[in-house]
Amino acid sequence: SQQGEEDPQALSIQEGENATMNCSYKTSINNLQWYRQNSGRGLVHLILIRSNEREKHSGRLRVTLDTSKKSSSLLITASRAADTASYFCATGFGGSNYKLTFGKGTLLTVNP
Amino acid sequence: SQTIHQWPATLVQPVGSPLSLECTVEGTSNPNLYWYRQAAGRGLQLLFYSVGIGQISSEVPQNLSASRPQDRQFILSSKKLLLSDSGFYLCAWSVQRTFQHFGSGTRLTVV
C-alpha cells in the first residue's frame, strides 16, 4: 500500500515566496527522503532525514520530521521559477530488503 | 563518478509485442537495483528490485519480468505487451539504505 501521501497535490506561488509541502506516512521508517522530478524526467534526490533526526537543512531546503505524528514537511525558501517541478516524499524501511515507498507527489508551480 | 544509463527514452510498441528495457550502472559495485513505473500524474510504483546478480524480488504481479544478468545490468522484459503496460518506466540504484539515483526514464506507449 502507498506509504507516503503528500499535501497539497498542487501548489502555485510567486517567485520569492516560500513553498511548504507536507508528507504523511503510516508505518515505521528507517528514513524519509524527498525527491524532485521535472516533467518527463527521472527523479533527483534532494534530502534524506533519518528517523532519529528532527530537522535538516540543505541550501534553500528545510526538512522536518515528526515521527510521533508520522509526518514530514519540505520548505523551499525564496522560490525561483526553476523550482517548478513535482516533489515526492519516499519512506525507507527494511534491512536486507530495504526499499522506498513513494507518495503521489506535489506539483509546485513558481510563477515569475 | 557513478552514472546510470537507461534506454530507450521513448518506445511505441504494438499490443502483443515483446519488450526489453535495459539499465546499466557505472562507477559502483553491487548496487541495489530497482524498476519503477509511473502513471501520468501519479507516484512511483515499485515493480522489481534486486540486491544481487540473479536475485529478483517482484512487488506487483503483472505482465512483466526482470533479470539481472550482470552486477550492474538490470533488464525489464515482457513477452506480450498489454495496453495497460503503457507508462513511464524508471530504473534506479542505491547502496545500502540510502537515497536512490534515477535514470532518465523510458516513455512506453502500447498501441
Side-chain angles (χ1 to χ4, degrees), chain B residues 58-75:
Chain B
S58 173
E59 288 294 297
V60 182
Q62 57 208 318
N63 187 40
L64 301 169
S65 62
S67 62
R68 184 171 179 173
Q70 300 180 44
D71 181 42
R72 290 170 287 180
Q73 183 185 28
F74 206 21
I75 298 172

Side-chain angles (χ1 to χ4, degrees), chain B:
Chain B
S1 63
Q2 303 97 344
T3 56
I4 178 169
H5 303 280
Q6 187 180 344
W7 68 93
T10 60
L11 192 59
V12 180
Q13 292 283 98
V15 169
S17 64
L19 173 73
S20 181
L21 301 180
E22 188 164 342
C23 173
T24 60
V25 179
E26 296 178 357
T28 187
S29 296
N30 196 30
N32 291 345
L33 296 172
Y34 308 86
W35 277 112
Y36 293 90
R37 178 168 58 201
Q38 184 178 31
R42 306 276 295 181
L44 276 67
Q45 179 186 38
L46 179 62
L47 302 176
F48 301 95
Y49 70 96
S50 172
V51 299
I53 296 175
Q55 301 178 60
I56 308 295
S57 296
S58 173
E59 288 294 297
V60 182
Q62 57 208 318
N63 187 40
L64 301 169
S65 62
S67 62
R68 184 171 179 173
Q70 300 180 44
D71 181 42
R72 290 170 287 180
Q73 183 185 28
F74 206 21
I75 298 172
L76 183 69
S77 304
S78 173
K79 292 181 179 178
K80 289 185 178 181
L81 284 169
L82 306 172
L83 287 174
S84 57
D85 292 324
S86 293
F88 191 51
Y89 288 83
L90 288 158
C91 180
W93 70 271
S94 70
V95 290
Q96 300 180 345
R97 289 177 287 180
T98 62
F99 55 89
Q100 295 183 5
H101 306 263
F102 284 82
S104 53
T106 295
R107 175 77 57 193
L108 172 65
T109 304
V110 183
V111 296

